[in-house]
Amino acid sequence: MDILLQTPCGHNFCLKCFQKWVALKKFTCVKCCRAIPRKMANNPRINDSLVAAIRLARVSKSAAPRGNAKVYHFISNQNRPDQAFTTERAKRTGKANAASGKIYVTIPPDHFGPIPAENDPIRNQGVLVGEFWADRLDCRQWGAHFLHVAGIAGQADYGAQSVTLSGGYADDEDHGEWFLYTGSGGRDLSGNKRTNKVQSYDQTFTKSNEALRHSCKMGYPVRVVRSHKEKRSAYAPGEKGVRYDGVYRIEKCWRKVGIQGKYKVCRYLFVRCDNEPAPWTSDEHGDPPSDLPNIPELKKATDLFERKDTETPSWGFDESEGRWKWMKAPPASRKSVEALDPEERRSIKRAIKAAQNNSVRDKLLKGFSCPICREVMNAPVTTPCGHNFCKGCLEGKFAGVAHVRDRSRGGRTLRSQKNVMKCPCCPTDISEFLQNPQLITISSSSVNTEVMSVIEALKEKVEEPAPEEEGGESSGNTSEENMEFEGGSMESEEEESQMVGSEDEPPTKKMKLDAEQGAATASV
DNA sequence: GGGCCCGCAGGG
DNA sequence: CCCTGCGGGCCC
C-alpha cells in the first residue's frame, strides 16, 4: 500500500483511498470523524517524513552492493570543482548563475536507464530510488538528469534519457506510478526569458519532443526526477529539493490542444517500470507490469503514436526472473564519459562521508530532528501543513496561550476572537489542530506512529555498541539485522593514508565557491 | 508570492 | 555559432 498521507487527527491513509473518499464529498476522517482540512482535501501531498522513513528503513536493510569500480575515459571533468561555482564571467554570484561541479558518476550524458553501482566509484551504490538533492545542479552531478534548466534530456534521432517534473507545464498530470507529461516549446522566450507560462504556438514532435517519441518507440527506460516545484502533484517532494523516482517507459504519445485552449501540446504517457519500489510506497517490490490506465483525453488526441505490439520494447519485464531488464542491448553511447581520476574520487568520498555523518544517530538527527528542540523527535506529530515536531515541544510552545481572546472592554461583552497560532515552521494557522483533544490528552493515536516506529527501530541501533568507524574491517556484524548505512563502516580502504595533498587546484576559470549548502536532508 | 534577470549546458 | 530551456536568487 501507499502510505502517504496523514490527517491532523493522526490517521494515515493511502493516497488513492483518501482521494476516493474525498471525491465522495466526505470531508471527515473515516476513522474518527474529525474534519479534514480543506487544503488537504483539495491538494493532498505525500508526507515527506514518511517517505524519508520508508527510504531510511529500506536503505539500511539492504547493504549497498559493492562491485569493482571501472572508469572509462577522462575528460575535462576533473577541471571542475566539487560543487557548483560561479565563473569569472558571471556578474552575479550564487547558484542562480552557477556552473556545474564535477560529475561524480561514470556514465555518459546519453546513458539510458538506472545508474548502477559500477558507475558510482565514489560510493559504489549507484543512484538509488528516493535519492534527494538540494537543487538541479546537485542532481546533475549524480547523473540523474544532466540539464540545469531544461526538463527533457534527449536527442531527436536517438532518444530521451531523463525528464523532470517541476510544475512548469499546467497540462502535466501526476498519478505517481504513471503520469502525463507535456513536451517543450510553443512558448515565446524573447527578451532573455528562460521560461514562460504562456503558450503562443503549437508544439511539434521535433528536438526533445521527438527524442521522447523515439524513447517511446524503442521502449527505453526514462529516468524521472520530481521537484518540489511541482505543487499540484501529491507525489512531489513537499518542501524543497529534487528526488530521483526511478525509471518509467513512455507507452504512448500524441498531441492535443493544451489547457490554455489555443495551441497544441505534445503529450506522453509515462508508466513506471522500476525494480525498486517508488519512494512513496511501503511496498517491498518494484512495479509489476500492469494494464495501461484509461486516458479520457485520448479521444481528442491527434498524431497518436504507440509502440507496435510486434516490437518488443528494449526495456521489459522478464517473467521468469520477475524483474525489469534490458531485453535488447541498450543503445550504444555516442558520447564519452566524464570521469574523475582516482585521487579526486578519494577526496570527494571523504567530503561526502564527512557531510553525511554516517552514524545512525546523526542520520536520525538529520532526518528526524524536531525543529524546536533540535533533538530526534520524541512522539512525533504532524501538523496539517506537514511539519513534524515532538508532541511535547509543540504543546510547550503554545502552553498558556489562550485559544480565544476576550474582547470585552469594560462595557458589554463582545464575542471573543480566535487567536491565530502560527506553525513554528510556516505561517499556517494551526490553532484548530492544537485544539484537537487527541493532541492535548496524551494519546498515542495522534502521534505519527509510522514515523515513530522507524525512529524507535533506529534508536535501538544507537544503543548497541557502535562498531568502530575504521577499526579494520566490518567484522563485527554481531546481529545480522545490523543496520548498515550507505557508505557505512565497512569502508577500510586506503583513505586516511594520504590525508591532505589533493586540494583541488583552482581550475582555469576562477571560481568563488558559493554553496556549501550542506547535503540535502530529508525535509521534516 | 510573482516577476525579473542572469549564466550555463546542450542541441543543431 | 546561435538558439533554447519545467533554475535560482533577489527585488518588489
Side-chain angles (χ1 to χ4, degrees), chain A residues 87-218:
Chain A
T87 60
E88 182 80 327
R89 227 189 114 220
K91 290 170 198 149
R92 297 199 214 163
T93 59
K95 266 199 163 177
N97 296 299
S100 162
K102 282 170 181 146
I103 307 298
Y104 298 147
V105 289
T106 60
I107 55 165
D110 57 356
H111 166 88
F112 286 89
I115 299 166
E118 61 260 34
N119 289 314
D120 176 10
I122 293 177
R123 307 177 304 179
N124 256 315
Q125 66 173 29
V127 175
L128 304 177
V129 166
E131 220 161 302
F132 198 84
W133 302 281
D135 55 51
R136 292 274 294 267
L137 284 170
D138 283 358
C139 171
R140 169 190 158 81
Q141 292 188 270
W142 290 99
H145 184 74
F146 276 99
L147 305 182
H148 174 37
V149 176
I152 303 163
Q155 305 76 36
D157 61 339
Y158 184 69
Q161 294 83 25
S162 57
V163 299
T164 156
L165 284 147
S166 298
Y169 285 79
D171 288 276
D172 288 358
E173 193 183 309
D174 193 359
H175 298 262
E177 320 298 323
W178 63 274
F179 62 88
L180 298 177
Y181 197 68
T182 312
S184 63
R187 295 166 162 191
D188 175 18
L189 297 178
S190 62
N192 204 14
K193 290 189 281 289
R194 298 295 173 267
T195 57
N196 181 348
K197 285 183 181 154
V198 182
Q199 295 292 132
S200 43
Y201 47 98
D202 287 346
Q203 289 184 357
T204 57
F205 284 111
T206 56
K207 301 181 183 174
S208 50
N209 295 348
E210 179 58 19
L212 287 173
R213 186 160 72 166
H214 194 259
S215 281
C216 169
K217 179 179 169 206
M218 306 301 286

Side-chain angles (χ1 to χ4, degrees), chain A residues 208-477:
Chain A
S208 50
N209 295 348
E210 179 58 19
L212 287 173
R213 186 160 72 166
H214 194 259
S215 281
C216 169
K217 179 179 169 206
M218 306 301 286
Y220 291 154
V222 182
R223 289 185 303 276
V224 171
V225 299
R226 281 184 175 81
S227 156
H228 72 106
K229 287 188 160 187
E230 173 53 273
K231 295 298 182 199
R232 299 158 303 153
S233 163
Y235 299 89
E239 293 274 311
K240 51 178 110 170
V242 186
R243 189 186 63 216
Y244 173 62
D245 286 348
V247 292
Y248 288 63
R249 233 169 33 182
I250 305 168
E251 302 298 340
K252 302 176 184 198
C253 47
W254 62 94
R255 290 202 300 165
K256 67 146 195 176
V257 174
I259 252 170
Q260 295 182 16
K262 279 193 188 163
Y263 301 98
K264 284 187 174 176
V265 291
C266 297
R267 302 285 281 162
Y268 305 87
L269 168 61
F270 279 69
V271 180
R272 196 167 191 277
C273 53
D274 202 288
N275 291 316
E276 297 296 317
W280 51 80
T281 175
S282 57
D283 289 346
E284 296 285 323
H285 52 79
D287 314 286
S290 61
D291 293 337
L292 297 185
N294 178 41
I295 313 291
E297 72 171 62
L298 276 172
K299 291 195 201 90
K300 291 173 282 177
T302 59
D303 314 285
L304 176 66
F305 179 89
E306 295 176 81
R307 190 168 50 250
K308 293 190 192 83
D309 275 342
T310 54
E311 201 175 347
T312 42
S314 293
W315 178 259
F317 192 77
D318 186 312
E319 294 289 347
S320 61
E321 294 179 40
R323 62 185 202 93
W324 298 89
K325 65 173 198 185
W326 288 100
M327 308 303 274
K328 299 176 182 172
S333 168
R334 308 186 300 187
K335 302 185 182 188
S336 44
V337 177
E338 300 221 356
L340 303 162
D341 71 47
E343 269 183 40
E344 280 174 314
R345 245 195 269 158
R346 278 189 288 271
S347 89
I348 291 170
K349 192 169 193 166
R350 248 176 271 136
I352 290 173
K353 236 173 161 178
Q356 269 182 349
N357 293 329
N358 279 312
S359 79
V360 178
R361 189 187 147 71
D362 288 340
K363 284 256 171 192
L364 270 170
L365 274 174
K366 214 171 198 181
F368 303 104
S369 67
C370 165
I372 298 174
C373 67
R374 307 272 164 204
E375 282 294 310
V376 178
M377 284 187 285
N378 188 14
V381 292
T382 308
T383 61
C385 42
H387 296 104
N388 297 294
F389 307 93
C390 302
K391 187 169 167 150
C393 289
L394 194 61
E395 286 166 352
K397 188 97 185 165
F398 297 99
V401 180
H403 282 279
V404 288
R405 195 169 55 218
D406 199 356
R407 291 201 302 167
S408 49
R409 331 159 272 211
R412 73 188 167 137
T413 314
L414 298 171
R415 203 192 324 170
S416 55
Q417 198 176 44
K418 228 184 78 182
N419 253 338
V420 171
M421 295 165 151
K422 280 188 189 167
C423 166
C425 287
C426 75
T428 309
D429 177 17
I430 56 169
S431 54
E432 260 178 60
F433 172 69
L434 291 166
Q435 281 187 71
N436 180 343
Q438 288 205 320
L439 178 72
I440 305 301
T441 63
I442 306 297
S443 141
S444 62
S445 67
S446 71
V447 167
N448 193 327
T449 46
E450 239 81 28
V451 174
M452 189 160 70
S453 63
V454 173
I455 292 179
E456 289 308 319
L458 293 171
K459 267 184 179 167
E460 276 177 35
K461 298 294 161 188
V462 180
E463 316 289 297
E464 282 176 20
E468 252 308 300
E469 225 338 91
E470 41 124 4
E473 291 313 297
S474 56
S475 66
N477 271 6

